[in-house]
Amino acid sequence: MNSRRVELSNTLRIVEVIDGTTVDGPGFRTSIYFAGCEHHCEDCHNPATWPMDAGYDISSSDLLSRIKENDMDVTLSGGDPLFQAKKLLPLLKAIRESGFTIWCYTGFTYESIAERPEIKPLLELIDVLVDGPFIKKLRDTALLFRGSSNQRLIDLRKSSPDNIVLWTPDF
């Protein structure tokens, strides 16, 4: 991994960091649960993250240090990390420069993100986007890394707005 120190001066609002989880993407991952979500999905597994002021502020620099210390790929969850898109952009650039892959869970669809200039730049930095709101009537506990059948695991390295390629496990 790249060992140079990246200075990040902004702060993000998070609820929790889980080191070494295996439920938010393949392998052991550092999962960051962000505060704030306006989707308010019925039977959301984490409604405590909905308030924009839930949790605590943490510097992007401190988050990056923890990610590097863990030496694991990264998952962004919440809440919905994309509600902090502008502040998140520098951290994602630094994570990518450090050689880690990034998964991101969001209630937004890929198509709606591609149309939103304040969020769209993140698509270039995320490897897999788990998109779409959780829909209670489509809940399926047999699905890999998602809760309802409308949600997609989109391989952003292979996708474009005109050609969505779903991520497939290699295990």
Side-chain angles (χ1 to χ4, degrees):
M1 295 295 143
N2 187 344
S3 62
R4 76 180 168 96
R5 176 117 171 116
V6 176
E7 289 299 321
L8 300 168
S9 60
N10 66 326
T11 60
L12 294 157
R13 191 78 180 177
I14 68 167
V15 174
E16 185 175 15
V17 177
I18 299 177
D19 305 312
T21 183
T22 58
V23 299
D24 295 329
F28 288 95
R29 309 184 72 79
T30 300
S31 285
I32 306 166
Y33 288 80
F34 288 80
C37 185
E38 296 177 2
H39 303 297
H40 297 185
C41 303
E42 183 181 1
D43 274 4
C44 169
H45 79 283
N46 212 358
T49 63
W50 290 356
M52 296 297 180
D53 63 352
Y56 59 96
D57 288 330
I58 188 169
S59 73
S60 291
S61 182
D62 286 347
L63 275 175
L64 183 62
S65 293
R66 187 160 176 181
I67 290 164
K68 287 181 174 184
E69 182 179 307
N70 288 340
D71 196 25
M72 298 174 198
D73 291 324
V74 177
T75 296
L76 314 174
S77 192
D80 191 325
L82 300 189
F83 282 103
Q84 298 184 56
K86 186 175 180 181
K87 289 182 165 188
L88 189 56
L89 187 61
L91 176 63
L92 293 192
K93 287 179 180 178
I95 292 169
R96 294 291 298 179
E97 288 173 5
S98 298
F100 299 106
T101 65
I102 301 168
W103 277 46
C104 181
Y105 285 79
T106 181
F108 294 104
T109 63
Y110 174 70
E111 294 83 359
S112 68
I113 294 167
E115 294 176 358
R116 296 181 70 162
E118 73 278 14
I119 301 175
K120 184 178 178 181
L122 298 177
L123 294 176
E124 296 176 18
L125 301 167
I126 296 167
D127 293 283
V128 174
L129 184 73
V130 185
D131 82 329
F134 171 75
I135 298 176
K136 181 179 178 179
K137 68 181 180 181
L138 299 178
R139 180 176 186 259
D140 183 347
T141 59
L143 294 171
L144 185 62
F145 303 130
R146 60 197 189 279
S148 59
S149 61
N150 63 297
Q151 296 171 312
R152 302 173 292 181
L153 303 173
I154 301 174
D155 186 334
L156 293 180
R157 301 292 124 239
K158 298 176 182 175
S159 295
S160 68
D162 298 331
N163 182 37
I164 294 175
V165 178
L166 299 181
W167 176 84
T168 54
D170 58 4
F171 50 87

